[in-house]
Coordinates of all heavy atoms in Angstrom, one line a residue:
T248 N 9.4 7.0 6.6 CA 10.7 6.9 6.0 C 10.9 7.7 4.8 O 11.9 8.4 4.6 CB 10.9 5.4 5.7 OG1 10.7 4.6 6.8 CG2 12.4 5.1 5.2
Y249 N 9.8 7.7 3.9 CA 9.9 8.6 2.7 C 10.0 10.1 3.2 O 10.6 10.9 2.5 CB 8.7 8.3 1.8 CG 9.0 7.2 0.8 CD1 10.0 6.2 1.1 CD2 8.2 7.0 -0.3 CE1 10.2 5.2 0.2 CE2 8.4 6.0 -1.2 CZ 9.4 5.1 -1.0 OH 9.7 4.0 -1.8
G250 N 9.3 10.4 4.2 CA 9.3 11.8 4.7 C 10.6 12.2 5.3 O 11.0 13.3 5.2
S251 N 11.4 11.2 5.7 CA 12.7 11.5 6.3 C 13.7 11.9 5.2 O 14.8 12.4 5.5 CB 13.3 10.3 7.1 OG 13.7 9.3 6.2
Y252 N 13.4 11.6 3.9 CA 14.3 12.1 2.8 C 13.8 13.4 2.2 O 14.2 13.8 1.1 CB 14.3 11.0 1.8 CG 14.7 9.6 2.3 CD1 14.0 8.5 2.0 CD2 15.9 9.5 3.1 CE1 14.3 7.2 2.4 CE2 16.2 8.2 3.6 CZ 15.5 7.1 3.2 OH 15.8 5.9 3.7
M253 N 12.7 14.0 2.8 CA 12.1 15.2 2.2 C 12.9 16.4 2.5 O 13.5 16.5 3.5 CB 10.7 15.3 2.8 CG 9.6 15.2 2.0 SD 8.1 15.3 3.0 CE 7.3 16.5 2.2
R254 N 12.8 17.3 1.6 CA 13.5 18.6 1.8 C 12.7 19.5 2.8 O 11.5 19.4 2.8 CB 13.7 19.3 0.5 CG 14.8 18.6 -0.4 CD 14.4 18.7 -1.8 NE 14.2 20.0 -2.3 CZ 14.9 20.5 -3.4 NH1 15.8 19.7 -4.0 NH2 14.7 21.7 -3.8
R255 N 13.4 20.4 3.4 CA 12.8 21.3 4.4 C 11.8 22.2 3.8 O 10.8 22.6 4.5 CB 13.9 22.1 5.1 CG 14.6 21.5 6.3 CD 13.9 22.0 7.5 NE 13.2 20.9 8.2 CZ 13.7 19.9 8.9 NH1 15.0 20.0 9.2 NH2 13.0 19.0 9.4
D256 N 12.0 22.7 2.6 CA 11.2 23.8 2.1 C 9.9 23.3 1.5 O 9.2 24.1 0.8 CB 12.0 24.6 1.0 CG 12.6 23.7 0.0 OD1 12.4 22.4 0.0 OD2 13.3 24.2 -1.0
E257 N 9.6 22.0 1.6 CA 8.3 21.6 1.0 C 7.2 21.6 2.0 O 7.4 21.2 3.2 CB 8.5 20.2 0.5 CG 8.9 20.1 -0.9 CD 9.3 18.7 -1.3 OE1 8.5 17.8 -1.0 OE2 10.3 18.6 -2.0
S258 N 6.0 21.8 1.5 CA 4.8 21.8 2.4 C 4.3 20.4 2.6 O 3.9 19.7 1.7 CB 3.7 22.7 1.9 OG 2.5 22.3 2.5
I259 N 4.4 19.9 3.9 CA 4.0 18.5 4.1 C 2.5 18.4 3.9 O 2.0 17.4 3.3 CB 4.3 18.2 5.6 CG1 5.8 17.9 5.7 CG2 3.5 17.0 6.1 CD1 6.3 17.5 7.1
T260 N 1.7 19.4 4.3 CA 0.2 19.3 4.1 C -0.1 19.2 2.6 O -0.9 18.3 2.2 CB -0.5 20.5 4.6 OG1 0.2 21.0 5.7 CG2 -1.9 20.2 4.9
R261 N 0.5 20.1 1.8 CA 0.2 20.1 0.4 C 0.6 18.7 -0.2 O -0.2 18.1 -1.0 CB 1.0 21.2 -0.3 CG 0.3 21.8 -1.4 CD 1.1 23.0 -1.9 NE 2.5 22.7 -2.0 CZ 3.5 23.5 -2.3 NH1 3.1 24.8 -2.5 NH2 4.7 23.2 -2.4
D262 N 1.7 18.2 0.1 CA 2.2 16.9 -0.4 C 1.3 15.8 0.0 O 1.0 14.9 -0.8 CB 3.6 16.7 -0.1 CG 4.6 17.6 -0.9 OD1 4.1 18.4 -1.6 OD2 5.8 17.4 -0.7
A263 N 0.9 15.8 1.3 CA 0.0 14.7 1.8 C -1.3 14.7 1.0 O -1.9 13.7 0.7 CB -0.2 14.8 3.3
I264 N -1.8 15.9 0.8 CA -3.1 16.0 0.0 C -2.9 15.5 -1.4 O -3.7 14.7 -1.9 CB -3.6 17.5 0.0 CG1 -4.0 17.9 1.4 CG2 -4.8 17.7 -1.0 CD1 -4.5 19.4 1.6
A265 N -1.8 15.9 -2.0 CA -1.5 15.4 -3.4 C -1.4 13.9 -3.4 O -2.1 13.3 -4.3 CB -0.2 16.1 -3.9
V266 N -0.7 13.3 -2.5 CA -0.5 11.9 -2.5 C -1.8 11.1 -2.3 O -2.2 10.2 -3.0 CB 0.6 11.4 -1.5 CG1 0.7 9.9 -1.4 CG2 1.9 12.0 -1.9
S267 N -2.6 11.6 -1.3 CA -3.9 10.9 -1.0 C -4.8 11.1 -2.1 O -5.6 10.2 -2.4 CB -4.6 11.5 0.3 OG -3.6 11.8 1.3
A268 N -4.9 12.3 -2.7 CA -5.8 12.5 -3.8 C -5.4 11.6 -5.0 O -6.3 11.0 -5.6 CB -5.8 14.0 -4.2
L269 N -4.2 11.6 -5.3 CA -3.8 10.7 -6.5 C -4.1 9.3 -6.2 O -4.6 8.6 -7.1 CB -2.3 10.9 -6.7 CG -1.9 12.2 -7.5 CD1 -0.3 12.4 -7.5 CD2 -2.3 12.1 -9.0
D270 N -3.8 8.8 -5.0 CA -4.1 7.4 -4.7 C -5.6 7.1 -4.9 O -5.9 6.1 -5.4 CB -3.6 7.1 -3.2 CG -3.9 5.7 -2.8 OD1 -3.1 4.9 -3.3 OD2 -4.8 5.4 -2.1
T271 N -6.4 8.0 -4.4 CA -7.8 7.8 -4.4 C -8.3 7.9 -5.9 O -9.1 7.0 -6.3 CB -8.6 8.9 -3.6 OG1 -8.0 8.9 -2.3 CG2 -10.0 8.6 -3.5
I272 N -7.8 8.8 -6.6 CA -8.3 9.0 -8.0 C -7.9 7.7 -8.8 O -8.7 7.2 -9.6 CB -7.6 10.2 -8.7 CG1 -8.3 11.5 -8.1 CG2 -7.9 10.2 -10.2 CD1 -7.5 12.8 -8.4
I273 N -6.7 7.2 -8.6 CA -6.2 6.0 -9.3 C -7.1 4.8 -8.9 O -7.5 4.0 -9.8 CB -4.8 5.7 -9.0 CG1 -3.9 6.8 -9.5 CG2 -4.3 4.3 -9.6 CD1 -3.8 7.0 -11.0
A274 N -7.5 4.7 -7.7 CA -8.3 3.6 -7.3 C -9.7 3.7 -8.0 O -10.2 2.7 -8.5 CB -8.6 3.5 -5.8
L275 N -10.2 4.9 -8.1 CA -11.5 5.1 -8.7 C -11.4 4.8 -10.3 O -12.3 4.1 -10.8 CB -12.0 6.5 -8.5 CG -12.4 6.8 -7.0 CD1 -12.8 8.3 -6.9 CD2 -13.5 5.9 -6.5
I276 N -10.3 5.3 -10.9 CA -10.2 5.0 -12.3 C -10.0 3.5 -12.6 O -10.6 2.9 -13.5 CB -8.9 5.7 -12.9 CG1 -9.1 7.2 -12.8 CG2 -8.7 5.4 -14.3 CD1 -8.0 8.0 -13.4
A277 N -9.3 2.8 -11.7 CA -9.1 1.4 -11.8 C -10.5 0.7 -11.7 O -10.9 -0.2 -12.5 CB -8.2 0.8 -10.8
G278 N -11.3 1.2 -10.8 CA -12.7 0.7 -10.6 C -13.5 0.9 -11.8 O -14.2 -0.1 -12.3
I279 N -13.4 2.1 -12.4 CA -14.2 2.3 -13.6 C -13.8 1.4 -14.7 O -14.6 0.7 -15.4 CB -14.1 3.8 -14.1 CG1 -14.6 4.7 -13.0 CG2 -14.8 4.0 -15.4 CD1 -14.3 6.2 -13.3
A280 N -12.5 1.3 -14.9 CA -12.0 0.4 -16.0 C -12.4 -1.0 -15.8 O -12.9 -1.7 -16.8 CB -10.5 0.5 -16.1
I281 N -12.3 -1.5 -14.6 CA -12.6 -2.9 -14.4 C -14.1 -3.2 -14.5 O -14.5 -4.2 -15.1 CB -12.0 -3.4 -13.0 CG1 -10.5 -3.4 -13.1 CG2 -12.5 -4.7 -12.6 CD1 -9.8 -3.5 -11.8
Y282 N -14.9 -2.3 -13.8 CA -16.3 -2.6 -13.8 C -17.0 -2.4 -15.2 O -18.0 -3.0 -15.5 CB -17.0 -1.8 -12.7 CG -16.8 -2.5 -11.4 CD1 -16.0 -1.9 -10.4 CD2 -17.3 -3.8 -11.2 CE1 -15.8 -2.6 -9.3 CE2 -17.1 -4.5 -10.1 CZ -16.3 -3.9 -9.1 OH -16.0 -4.6 -8.0
S283 N -16.4 -1.5 -16.0 CA -17.0 -1.4 -17.4 C -16.9 -2.7 -18.1 O -17.9 -3.2 -18.7 CB -16.2 -0.4 -18.2 OG -16.2 0.9 -17.6
L284 N -15.8 -3.4 -17.9 CA -15.6 -4.7 -18.5 C -16.6 -5.7 -17.9 O -17.2 -6.5 -18.6 CB -14.2 -5.2 -18.3 CG -13.1 -4.8 -19.4 CD1 -11.8 -5.3 -18.9 CD2 -13.5 -5.5 -20.7
V285 N -16.6 -5.7 -16.6 CA -17.4 -6.7 -15.9 C -18.8 -6.6 -16.2 O -19.5 -7.6 -16.6 CB -17.2 -6.6 -14.3 CG1 -18.2 -7.4 -13.5 CG2 -15.8 -6.9 -13.9
F286 N -19.3 -5.4 -16.3 CA -20.8 -5.2 -16.6 C -21.1 -5.4 -18.1 O -22.2 -5.9 -18.4 CB -21.2 -3.8 -16.2 CG -21.4 -3.7 -14.7 CD1 -20.8 -2.6 -14.0 CD2 -22.1 -4.6 -14.0 CE1 -20.9 -2.5 -12.6 CE2 -22.2 -4.5 -12.6 CZ -21.6 -3.4 -11.9
S287 N -20.1 -5.1 -18.9 CA -20.4 -5.3 -20.4 C -20.5 -6.8 -20.7 O -21.1 -7.1 -21.7 CB -19.4 -4.6 -21.2 OG -18.2 -5.3 -21.2
F288 N -20.0 -7.6 -19.8 CA -20.1 -9.1 -20.1 C -21.1 -9.7 -19.1 O -21.1 -10.9 -18.9 CB -18.7 -9.8 -20.0 CG -17.9 -9.5 -21.1 CD1 -17.0 -8.4 -21.1 CD2 -17.9 -10.3 -22.3 CE1 -16.2 -8.1 -22.2 CE2 -17.0 -10.0 -23.4 CZ -16.2 -8.9 -23.3
N289 N -21.8 -8.8 -18.4 CA -22.8 -9.3 -17.4 C -22.2 -10.3 -16.4 O -22.8 -11.3 -16.0 CB -23.9 -10.0 -18.1 CG -24.8 -9.0 -18.8 OD1 -25.1 -8.0 -18.2 ND2 -25.3 -9.4 -20.0
M290 N -21.0 -10.0 -15.9 CA -20.4 -10.8 -14.9 C -20.7 -10.3 -13.5 O -21.2 -9.2 -13.4 CB -18.8 -10.9 -15.1 CG -18.3 -11.3 -16.4 SD -18.5 -13.1 -16.7 CE -17.1 -13.7 -15.8
D291 N -20.4 -11.1 -12.5 CA -20.7 -10.8 -11.1 C -19.7 -9.8 -10.5 O -18.5 -10.2 -10.4 CB -20.8 -12.1 -10.3 CG -21.1 -11.8 -8.9 OD1 -21.6 -10.7 -8.6 OD2 -20.9 -12.7 -8.0
P292 N -20.1 -8.6 -10.1 CA -19.1 -7.7 -9.5 C -18.6 -8.1 -8.2 O -17.6 -7.7 -7.7 CB -19.9 -6.4 -9.4 CG -21.3 -6.7 -9.4 CD -21.5 -8.0 -10.2
A293 N -19.4 -9.1 -7.5 CA -19.0 -9.5 -6.2 C -18.2 -10.8 -6.2 O -18.3 -11.6 -5.3 CB -20.2 -9.7 -5.3
A294 N -17.3 -10.9 -7.2 CA -16.6 -12.2 -7.3 C -15.5 -12.4 -6.2 O -15.0 -13.5 -6.0 CB -15.9 -12.3 -8.7
G295 N -15.1 -11.3 -5.5 CA -14.1 -11.4 -4.4 C -12.7 -11.3 -5.0 O -12.5 -10.8 -6.1
P296 N -11.7 -11.9 -4.2 CA -10.3 -11.7 -4.5 C -10.0 -12.2 -5.9 O -9.0 -11.8 -6.5 CB -9.6 -12.6 -3.5 CG -10.6 -12.8 -2.4 CD -11.9 -12.6 -3.0
G297 N -10.8 -13.1 -6.5 CA -10.4 -13.7 -7.8 C -10.9 -12.7 -9.0 O -10.6 -13.0 -10.1
L298 N -11.4 -11.6 -8.6 CA -11.9 -10.7 -9.7 C -10.9 -10.4 -10.7 O -11.2 -10.4 -11.9 CB -12.4 -9.3 -9.0 CG -13.1 -8.3 -9.9 CD1 -14.4 -8.8 -10.4 CD2 -13.3 -7.0 -9.2
I299 N -9.7 -10.1 -10.3 CA -8.7 -9.7 -11.3 C -8.0 -10.9 -12.0 O -7.8 -10.8 -13.2 CB -7.5 -9.0 -10.5 CG1 -8.0 -7.7 -9.9 CG2 -6.3 -8.8 -11.4 CD1 -7.9 -6.6 -10.8
F300 N -7.8 -12.0 -11.2 CA -7.1 -13.1 -11.8 C -8.0 -14.2 -12.4 O -7.5 -15.0 -13.1 CB -6.2 -13.7 -10.8 CG -5.0 -12.8 -10.3 CD1 -5.0 -12.3 -9.0 CD2 -4.0 -12.5 -11.2 CE1 -4.0 -11.5 -8.6 CE2 -3.0 -11.7 -10.8 CZ -3.0 -11.2 -9.5
Q301 N -9.3 -14.1 -12.1 CA -10.2 -15.1 -12.6 C -11.3 -14.6 -13.5 O -11.5 -15.0 -14.6 CB -10.8 -15.9 -11.4 CG -9.8 -16.8 -10.8 CD -10.4 -17.7 -9.7 OE1 -11.0 -17.3 -8.8 NE2 -10.2 -19.0 -9.9
T302 N -12.0 -13.5 -13.0 CA -13.1 -13.0 -13.8 C -12.5 -12.2 -15.0 O -12.9 -12.5 -16.1 CB -13.9 -12.0 -12.9 OG1 -14.3 -12.7 -11.7 CG2 -15.2 -11.5 -13.7
L303 N -11.6 -11.3 -14.8 CA -11.1 -10.5 -15.9 C -10.5 -11.3 -17.0 O -10.8 -11.0 -18.2 CB -10.1 -9.4 -15.4 CG -10.7 -8.2 -14.7 CD1 -9.6 -7.2 -14.5 CD2 -11.8 -7.6 -15.5
P304 N -9.7 -12.3 -16.7 CA -9.1 -13.1 -17.9 C -10.2 -13.7 -18.8 O -10.0 -13.8 -20.0 CB -8.3 -14.2 -17.2 CG -7.8 -13.5 -15.9 CD -9.0 -12.7 -15.5
V305 N -11.3 -14.1 -18.2 CA -12.4 -14.6 -19.0 C -12.8 -13.5 -20.0 O -13.1 -13.8 -21.2 CB -13.6 -15.0 -18.2 CG1 -14.8 -15.5 -19.0 CG2 -13.2 -16.1 -17.2
L306 N -12.9 -12.3 -19.5 CA -13.3 -11.2 -20.4 C -12.1 -10.8 -21.4 O -12.4 -10.5 -22.6 CB -13.6 -9.9 -19.6 CG -14.5 -10.1 -18.4 CD1 -14.7 -8.8 -17.7 CD2 -15.8 -10.7 -18.8
F307 N -10.9 -11.0 -20.9 CA -9.8 -10.7 -21.8 C -9.7 -11.6 -22.9 O -9.1 -11.3 -24.0 CB -8.4 -10.7 -21.0 CG -8.3 -9.6 -20.0 CD1 -7.6 -9.8 -18.8 CD2 -8.8 -8.3 -20.3 CE1 -7.4 -8.7 -17.9 CE2 -8.6 -7.3 -19.4 CZ -7.9 -7.5 -18.2
A308 N -10.2 -12.8 -22.8 CA -10.3 -13.8 -23.9 C -11.0 -13.2 -25.1 O -10.7 -13.4 -26.2 CB -10.9 -15.1 -23.5
E309 N -12.0 -12.3 -24.8 CA -12.7 -11.6 -25.8 C -12.0 -10.3 -26.3 O -12.0 -10.1 -27.5 CB -14.1 -11.2 -25.3 CG -14.9 -12.3 -24.6 CD -15.4 -13.3 -25.7 OE1 -15.7 -12.9 -26.8 OE2 -15.4 -14.5 -25.3
T310 N -11.4 -9.6 -25.4 CA -10.9 -8.3 -25.8 C -9.5 -8.4 -26.4 O -9.1 -7.6 -27.2 CB -10.7 -7.4 -24.6 OG1 -9.7 -8.0 -23.7 CG2 -12.0 -7.1 -23.8
G311 N -8.8 -9.5 -26.1 CA -7.5 -9.7 -26.7 C -6.4 -9.1 -25.9 O -6.6 -8.4 -24.9
P312 N -5.1 -9.4 -26.3 CA -4.0 -9.0 -25.5 C -3.8 -7.5 -25.4 O -3.1 -7.0 -24.6 CB -2.8 -9.7 -26.2 CG -3.3 -10.0 -27.5 CD -4.7 -10.2 -27.4
W313 N -4.4 -6.7 -26.3 CA -4.2 -5.3 -26.3 C -4.7 -4.6 -25.0 O -4.3 -3.6 -24.6 CB -4.8 -4.6 -27.5 CG -4.4 -5.2 -28.8 CD1 -5.1 -6.0 -29.7 CD2 -3.0 -5.2 -29.2 NE1 -4.3 -6.4 -30.7 CE2 -3.0 -6.0 -30.4 CE3 -1.8 -4.7 -28.8 CZ2 -1.8 -6.2 -31.1 CZ3 -0.6 -4.9 -29.5 CH2 -0.7 -5.7 -30.6
V314 N -5.7 -5.3 -24.4 CA -6.2 -4.8 -23.2 C -5.5 -5.5 -22.0 O -5.1 -4.9 -21.0 CB -7.7 -5.0 -23.1 CG1 -8.3 -4.4 -21.8 CG2 -8.4 -4.3 -24.3
S315 N -5.3 -6.9 -22.1 CA -4.9 -7.6 -21.0 C -3.4 -7.4 -20.7 O -3.0 -7.3 -19.5 CB -5.1 -9.1 -21.1 OG -4.6 -9.6 -22.3
V316 N -2.5 -7.3 -21.7 CA -1.1 -7.1 -21.4 C -0.9 -5.7 -20.7 O -0.3 -5.7 -19.6 CB -0.2 -7.2 -22.7 CG1 1.2 -6.8 -22.4 CG2 -0.3 -8.6 -23.3
P317 N -1.4 -4.6 -21.2 CA -1.2 -3.4 -20.4 C -1.8 -3.5 -19.0 O -1.2 -2.9 -18.1 CB -2.0 -2.3 -21.2 CG -2.2 -2.9 -22.6 CD -2.1 -4.4 -22.5
F318 N -2.9 -4.2 -18.9 CA -3.5 -4.3 -17.5 C -2.5 -5.0 -16.5 O -2.3 -4.5 -15.4 CB -4.8 -5.1 -17.6 CG -5.5 -5.2 -16.2 CD1 -6.2 -4.1 -15.7 CD2 -5.2 -6.3 -15.4 CE1 -6.7 -4.2 -14.4 CE2 -5.8 -6.3 -14.1 CZ -6.5 -5.3 -13.6
F319 N -1.9 -6.1 -16.9 CA -1.1 -6.8 -16.0 C 0.3 -6.1 -15.8 O 0.9 -6.2 -14.8 CB -0.9 -8.2 -16.3 CG -2.2 -9.0 -16.0 CD1 -3.0 -9.5 -17.0 CD2 -2.6 -9.1 -14.7 CE1 -4.2 -10.1 -16.7 CE2 -3.8 -9.8 -14.4 CZ -4.6 -10.3 -15.4
V320 N 0.7 -5.3 -16.9 CA 1.9 -4.5 -16.7 C 1.6 -3.4 -15.7 O 2.4 -3.2 -14.8 CB 2.3 -3.8 -18.1 CG1 3.4 -2.8 -17.9 CG2 2.8 -4.9 -19.1
L321 N 0.4 -2.8 -15.8 CA 0.0 -1.8 -14.8 C 0.0 -2.4 -13.4 O 0.6 -1.8 -12.5 CB -1.4 -1.4 -15.2 CG -2.2 -0.6 -14.2 CD1 -1.9 0.8 -14.2 CD2 -3.7 -0.8 -14.4
L322 N -0.5 -3.6 -13.2 CA -0.6 -4.2 -11.9 C 0.9 -4.4 -11.4 O 1.2 -4.2 -10.2 CB -1.3 -5.5 -12.0 CG -1.9 -6.1 -10.7 CD1 -2.8 -5.2 -10.0 CD2 -2.6 -7.4 -11.0
T323 N 1.7 -4.9 -12.2 CA 3.1 -5.1 -11.8 C 3.8 -3.9 -11.4 O 4.5 -3.8 -10.4 CB 3.9 -5.8 -13.0 OG1 3.2 -7.0 -13.4 CG2 5.3 -6.2 -12.6
F324 N 3.7 -2.8 -12.2 CA 4.4 -1.5 -11.9 C 3.8 -1.0 -10.6 O 4.6 -0.5 -9.8 CB 4.1 -0.5 -13.0 CG 4.9 -0.7 -14.3 CD1 5.7 -1.8 -14.4 CD2 5.0 0.3 -15.3 CE1 6.4 -2.0 -15.6 CE2 5.7 0.1 -16.4 CZ 6.5 -1.1 -16.6
A325 N 2.5 -1.1 -10.4 CA 1.9 -0.6 -9.2 C 2.5 -1.3 -8.0 O 2.9 -0.7 -7.0 CB 0.4 -0.7 -9.2

Side-chain angles (χ1 to χ4, degrees):
T248 306
Y249 274 18
S251 76
Y252 307 130
M253 245 174 127
R254 288 142 59 124
R255 272 269 110 80
D256 53 359
E257 265 170 47
S258 158
I259 282 182
T260 326
R261 213 175 45 187
D262 287 2
I264 292 175
V266 173
S267 319
L269 280 168
D270 182 74
T271 309
I272 291 168
I273 295 294
L275 294 174
I276 297 183
I279 296 173
I281 291 169
Y282 282 112
S283 302
L284 272 174
V285 168
F286 287 126
S287 71
F288 287 90
N289 289 321
M290 301 287 278
D291 177 17
L298 185 69
I299 295 275
F300 294 112
Q301 290 187 299
T302 307
L303 283 189
V305 176
L306 316 180
F307 289 148
E309 308 289 325
T310 63
W313 305 114
V314 182
S315 56
V316 174
F318 180 82
F319 287 110
V320 170
L321 165 82
L322 197 57
T323 303
F324 283 9

